[in-house]
Amino acid sequence: MTGIKALLVPAFALGCVLAPCGAVAQQASDTARPSYDGSDSPNAPKRIYIDQDCRIEPDPAHPLPGKKLRPFSDSNICHLESVAQSNHIEERIAGDELYRSRIYIAEQEYVLQNITDGQVMFIVQHAVSPDWTVDSDPLPLSTEGNIAVFPVYADPGQIVRLHVGLRHTQPLKTKFIGAKSSAPQGTTGN
């Protein structure tokens, strides 16, 4: 072949001429591919870990060798508002018994600000004491041991709020409420 017809030879055929065809597409078959969660993707949001005191925690997936990282506070990134504790009595009647419980509520609101130039995922980790339950909207994405995990996304410069409420119920003594006897005939109830 000469001229233009010689240039129309497929490129893959040239690869087999220059190197043996069996060696072109060989990979090591014994190396296992690690699982991928997307966190190292250039488009994945940066993760910032926040504890219940609004401190920024070091990334547990990427520790620095030889250094012990400690949490630190930055009120530009996270601060708490509306920190409150309260309690009240709840009552319900079932049959001829009055069930009473003292309810304790602890709540706080995280104010989170993305000061980076890309999207951020704040991972708020709020400790939940034994016998307490999370009573907030939204509910945590997961609970790892006694830590409730709330993911919160924020665009560059955006300020977002997360309300976290906890509830503890302490049952009180049940009371018997029998039917009241009616007044004797001929008398008024006044």
Side-chain angles (χ1 to χ4, degrees):
M1 287 194 276
T2 59
I4 296 178
K5 291 183 181 180
L7 294 176
L8 296 176
V9 176
F12 69 86
L14 287 175
C16 290
V17 171
L18 299 174
C21 286
V24 171
Q26 286 185 353
Q27 279 187 329
S29 60
D30 60 341
T31 59
R33 187 176 213 178
S35 62
Y36 180 65
D37 66 354
S39 61
D40 292 333
S41 169
N43 297 330
K46 177 176 175 50
R47 294 180 180 191
I48 298 176
Y49 294 86
I50 306 290
D51 71 6
Q52 70 189 22
D53 297 322
C54 228
R55 294 180 303 181
I56 299 159
E57 296 278 340
D59 186 353
H62 301 99
L64 294 175
K67 285 201 164 207
K68 181 172 180 159
L69 296 177
R70 294 191 169 95
F72 64 94
S73 297
D74 186 341
S75 62
N76 291 321
I77 297 172
C78 180
H79 66 273
L80 296 174
E81 288 184 359
S82 304
V83 178
Q85 294 181 354
S86 64
N87 66 69
H88 63 275
I89 301 290
E90 285 185 1
E91 299 178 335
R92 68 180 175 86
I93 296 175
D96 56 356
E97 294 180 325
L98 173 66
Y99 294 97
R100 301 173 68 213
S101 297
R102 181 172 303 279
I103 308 298
Y104 296 93
I105 303 291
E107 55 190 341
Q108 63 188 37
E109 185 172 62
Y110 295 87
V111 180
L112 306 161
Q113 181 176 2
N114 180 358
I115 61 172
T116 69
D117 59 355
Q119 189 180 40
V120 166
M121 178 171 62
F122 292 102
I123 300 173
V124 178
Q125 302 172 339
H126 195 95
V128 181
S129 299
D131 298 332
W132 286 70
T133 58
V134 177
D135 186 21
S136 62
D137 187 25
L139 288 173
L141 178 67
S142 65
T143 303
E144 300 166 3
N146 67 333
I147 305 292
V149 179
F150 299 87
V152 180
Y153 290 89
D155 290 327
Q158 184 179 18
I159 296 174
V160 292
R161 295 174 178 270
L162 172 67
H163 177 267
V164 175
L166 302 177
R167 176 184 178 102
H168 174 70
T169 303
Q170 178 186 13
L172 301 174
K173 187 175 179 181
T174 303
K175 291 185 176 181
F176 177 74
I177 49 172
K180 291 184 179 181
S181 60
S182 59
Q185 289 185 354
T187 61
T188 61
N190 293 344

Coordinates of all heavy atoms in Angstrom, one line a residue, residues 127-133 145-146 166-169:
A127 N -23.1 13.9 71.4 CA -23.1 12.7 72.4 C -24.5 12.7 73.0 O -25.1 13.7 73.3 CB -22.1 12.9 73.4
V128 N -25.0 11.4 73.1 CA -26.3 11.2 73.7 C -26.1 10.3 74.9 O -25.6 9.2 74.8 CB -27.3 10.5 72.7 CG1 -28.6 10.2 73.3 CG2 -27.4 11.3 71.4
S129 N -26.5 10.9 76.1 CA -26.3 10.1 77.4 C -27.2 8.9 77.4 O -28.3 8.9 76.7 CB -26.7 11.0 78.6 OG -25.8 12.1 78.6
P130 N -26.9 7.9 78.2 CA -27.8 6.7 78.3 C -29.1 7.1 78.8 O -29.3 8.1 79.6 CB -27.0 5.8 79.3 CG -25.6 6.3 79.3 CD -25.6 7.7 79.0
D131 N -30.2 6.5 78.4 CA -31.6 6.8 78.8 C -32.1 8.0 78.2 O -33.2 8.5 78.5 CB -31.8 6.8 80.3 CG -31.4 5.4 80.9 OD1 -31.6 4.4 80.2 OD2 -31.0 5.4 82.1
W132 N -31.4 8.7 77.3 CA -31.8 9.9 76.6 C -32.1 9.5 75.1 O -31.4 8.6 74.6 CB -30.8 11.0 76.7 CG -30.8 11.7 78.0 CD1 -30.3 11.2 79.2 CD2 -31.2 13.0 78.3 NE1 -30.4 12.1 80.2 CE2 -31.0 13.2 79.7 CE3 -31.8 14.0 77.6 CZ2 -31.3 14.4 80.4 CZ3 -32.1 15.2 78.3 CH2 -31.8 15.4 79.6
T133 N -33.0 10.2 74.5 CA -33.2 10.0 73.1 C -33.1 11.3 72.3 O -33.4 12.3 72.9 CB -34.6 9.4 72.8 OG1 -35.6 10.2 73.4 CG2 -34.8 8.0 73.5
G145 N -22.7 4.1 68.5 CA -22.5 4.0 70.0 C -23.5 5.0 70.6 O -24.7 5.0 70.4
N146 N -22.9 5.9 71.4 CA -23.7 7.0 72.0 C -23.6 8.3 71.3 O -23.8 9.4 71.8 CB -23.3 7.1 73.5 CG -21.9 7.7 73.7 OD1 -21.1 7.5 72.8 ND2 -21.7 8.3 74.8
L166 N -32.6 16.7 72.9 CA -32.5 15.5 73.5 C -33.7 15.4 74.6 O -34.0 16.4 75.2 CB -31.2 15.3 74.2 CG -30.0 15.3 73.3 CD1 -28.7 15.2 74.2 CD2 -30.0 14.3 72.3
R167 N -34.2 14.2 74.8 CA -35.3 14.0 75.7 C -35.0 12.8 76.7 O -34.6 11.8 76.2 CB -36.6 13.8 74.9 CG -37.8 13.5 75.6 CD -38.9 13.2 74.6 NE -40.1 12.8 75.3 CZ -41.2 13.6 75.4 NH1 -41.1 14.8 74.9 NH2 -42.3 13.2 76.0
H168 N -35.4 13.1 77.9 CA -35.2 12.0 78.9 C -36.6 11.9 79.7 O -37.1 12.9 80.2 CB -34.1 12.3 79.9 CG -34.0 11.3 81.0 ND1 -33.6 10.0 80.9 CD2 -34.3 11.4 82.3 CE1 -33.6 9.4 82.0 NE2 -34.0 10.2 82.9
T169 N -37.1 10.7 79.8 CA -38.4 10.5 80.5 C -38.1 9.7 81.8 O -37.5 8.7 81.8 CB -39.3 9.7 79.6 OG1 -39.5 10.3 78.4 CG2 -40.7 9.5 80.3

